[in-house]
């Protein structure tokens, strides 16, 4: 088979780019341990209230982990539990959330926390609250008649 010189150049370029991209993904996944956020954590949506940690929504101090607090949220039509929560300034917090019924959003306005809560799955995000103030949590997935009323707030205090 005869290949034109330009075809060879493009093939080399294409295969080279493929190897570079696969290496980046490979190093990220296997060496750095990155993975899609909590894609594997499942929960029975009918038993959320009796399943740890969702049996105790709110902020909990934890020991011996990479984060200082766990902030547990349960969403259901059309509110979040807890309806408001205080977080100490500078705390590294793992936000853990799920929904009891339909898909809800979990966006903390003014931060980079933005999760989709799906029935049967647990969504997690670890972040450090290093700005004091009030942060509104809003539902950004249309979930029914009370969608626009669905909110909570995080108050970051000194
Ligand atoms: Cu919950 Cu929209």
């Amino acid at each position: 088979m005869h290949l034109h010189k330009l075809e060879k150049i493009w093939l080399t370029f294409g295969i080279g780019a493929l190897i570079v991209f696969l290496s980046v993904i490979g190093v990220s996944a296997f060496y750095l341990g990155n993975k899609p956020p909590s894609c594997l954590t499942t929960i029975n949506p009918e038993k959320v209230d009796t399943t740890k940690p969702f049996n105790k929504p709110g902020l909990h101090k934890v020991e011996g982990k990479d984060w200082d607090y766990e902030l547990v949220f349960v969403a259901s039509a059309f509110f979040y539990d807890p309806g408001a929560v205080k977080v100490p300034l500078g705390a590294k917090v793992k936000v853990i959330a799920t929904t009891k019924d339909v898909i809800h959003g979990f966006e903390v306005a003014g931060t980079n926390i933005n999760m989709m809560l799906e029935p049967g799955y647990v969504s997690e995000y670890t972040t450090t609250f290093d700005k004091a103030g009030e942060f509104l949590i809003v539902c950004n997935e249309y979930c029914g008649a009370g969608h626009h009323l669905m909110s909570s707030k995080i108050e970051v205090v000194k």
Side-chain angles (χ1 to χ4, degrees), residues 14-75:
I15 292 167
L18 189 65
I19 289 169
V20 167
F21 291 135
L22 288 178
S23 305
V24 168
I25 293 172
V27 167
S28 167
F30 298 109
Y31 180 68
L32 298 176
N34 288 327
K35 58 181 179 181
S38 69
C39 58
L40 294 174
T41 317
T42 55
I43 184 170
N44 180 343
E46 281 163 20
K47 293 190 180 151
V48 168
D49 288 333
T50 53
T51 307
K52 272 187 176 177
F54 300 104
N55 54 346
K56 273 202 251 160
L59 187 74
H60 309 292
K61 181 115 181 85
V62 292
E63 302 286 339
K65 296 192 176 169
D66 288 342
W67 47 90
D68 311 315
Y69 292 90
E70 286 178 353
L71 180 52
V72 180
F73 271 96
V74 176

Side-chain angles (χ1 to χ4, degrees), residues 78 103-105 139-143 147 150:
F78 298 100
I103 291 176
H104 295 284
C139 179
N140 57 10
E141 298 286 339
Y142 183 71
C143 51
H147 164 70
M150 198 166 162

Side-chain angles (χ1 to χ4, degrees), residues 1-2 5 9 15 17 21 34-35 39 42 50 69-70 77 87 90 93 96 106 123 129 137 142 147-148 152:
M1 185 174 67
H2 175 74
K5 190 174 139 223
I9 292 171
I15 292 167
F21 291 135
N34 288 327
K35 58 181 179 181
C39 58
T42 55
T50 53
Y69 292 90
E70 286 178 353
V87 173
V93 178
I96 308 170
F106 188 94
S123 302
F129 288 94
I137 302 170
Y142 183 71
H147 164 70
H148 61 290
S152 176

